Amino acid sequence: MSEIARDLDSELLSVSRAYVGLPPEKRKVFRSRLAERGVARASLPIVPFPGQSGRFPLSHAQERLWFLWRLEPLSASYNITGAVQLDGTLDTDAVRAAVQAVCARHESLRKRFEEHDGVAWQIVGETRYDWQQCELDPDAEASIKPLLRDLSLRPFDLTRDALLRVTLVRLAPDSHVLHFAMHHIVSDAWSLELLTQEFAQA
């Protein structure tokens, strides 16, 4: 990373820290001033709000999904999945770095769930996702569909598993498919679209 890029990152981090330190009414003014200067909020690094606990109660929708998962822990009914075709020479390290950057940016992708005294909580932790790589015989490209189906239908354990799974399937040296799977308790169809857009940008 160049010295200029490091200075810019440091400056954006300072802006983010200043923002979270403001009272709520002043954050709106702060956002307006950023917009006037042409600084996109999405370009700022994410930092935690001061004094904020990493443990949160579930929303009503999450409570419903938690209850349904407890009834059928092996169900894949609430898996949200998608895949993108990657053509051309692929830098696997760059792909992993892009996934890492997206996970670091979105708190929902860093959640795990715990139950204490019959009450479920969501815990925001470090960047954590499940990464797998596999390779298919170039002469058996048709087998990609059942493989993607199997990846999509694999259930999540909400108390143990990373709630984002990423699988890179190599079809040929210059042809890959990247499959994403998330549980609906941390995402929705719009989230998957956003994830793929941000992955492509990263």
Side-chain angles (χ1 to χ4, degrees):
M1 183 184 290
S2 72
E3 190 173 332
I4 293 174
R6 276 196 300 270
D7 289 345
L8 179 58
D9 285 347
S10 177
E11 185 176 335
L12 290 175
L13 186 59
S14 296
V15 171
S16 288
R17 286 178 176 152
Y19 173 75
V20 299
L22 294 172
E25 64 276 6
K26 291 191 176 179
R27 286 187 204 131
K28 185 174 182 181
V29 176
F30 192 94
R31 291 194 297 268
S32 298
R33 290 187 179 161
L34 281 180
E36 288 170 6
R37 295 182 181 189
V39 178
R41 281 168 42 198
S43 68
L44 298 178
I46 294 175
V47 297
F49 282 84
Q52 190 177 64
S53 168
R55 188 172 89 159
F56 306 93
L58 273 60
S59 68
H60 294 304
Q62 287 177 317
E63 285 179 347
R64 187 166 57 251
L65 288 164
W66 176 265
F67 176 75
L68 292 170
W69 173 75
R70 295 294 268 171
L71 286 177
E72 291 186 278
L74 299 180
S75 171
S77 298
Y78 295 98
N79 288 9
I80 294 178
T81 65
V84 291
Q85 176 88 33
L86 304 171
D87 293 319
T89 304
L90 187 69
D91 182 342
T92 305
D93 290 339
V95 172
R96 292 208 65 174
V99 174
Q100 184 83 8
V102 172
C103 286
R105 182 171 179 73
H106 293 284
E107 194 174 77
S108 62
L109 297 178
R110 294 184 277 114
K111 286 180 181 174
R112 59 187 174 83
F113 293 81
E114 292 180 355
E115 191 170 82
H116 296 283
D117 298 324
V119 178
W121 296 87
Q122 50 187 324
I123 315 291
V124 179
E126 298 299 316
T127 300
R128 177 172 170 255
Y129 62 94
D130 183 51
W131 171 269
Q132 296 181 57
Q133 288 180 238
C134 59
E135 185 171 348
L136 289 182
D137 186 325
D139 298 326
E141 190 168 329
S143 64
I144 186 69
K145 288 184 179 179
L147 173 61
L148 295 180
R149 183 178 182 278
D150 288 346
L151 291 171
S152 297
L153 294 178
R154 193 175 124 211
F156 284 93
D157 182 333
L158 298 186
T159 61
R160 296 182 182 178
D161 296 346
L163 298 179
L164 168 65
R165 294 194 300 250
V166 185
T167 304
L168 181 64
V169 184
R170 185 178 187 267
L171 304 176
D174 60 350
S175 180
H176 296 76
V177 171
L178 191 68
H179 180 272
F180 295 95
M182 299 181 287
H183 194 278
H184 190 26
I185 202 166
V186 295
S187 64
D188 54 23
W190 180 83
S191 302
L192 183 63
E193 183 179 345
L194 181 64
L195 174 68
T196 53
Q197 287 174 358
E198 291 196 6
F199 166 78
Q201 290 169 358

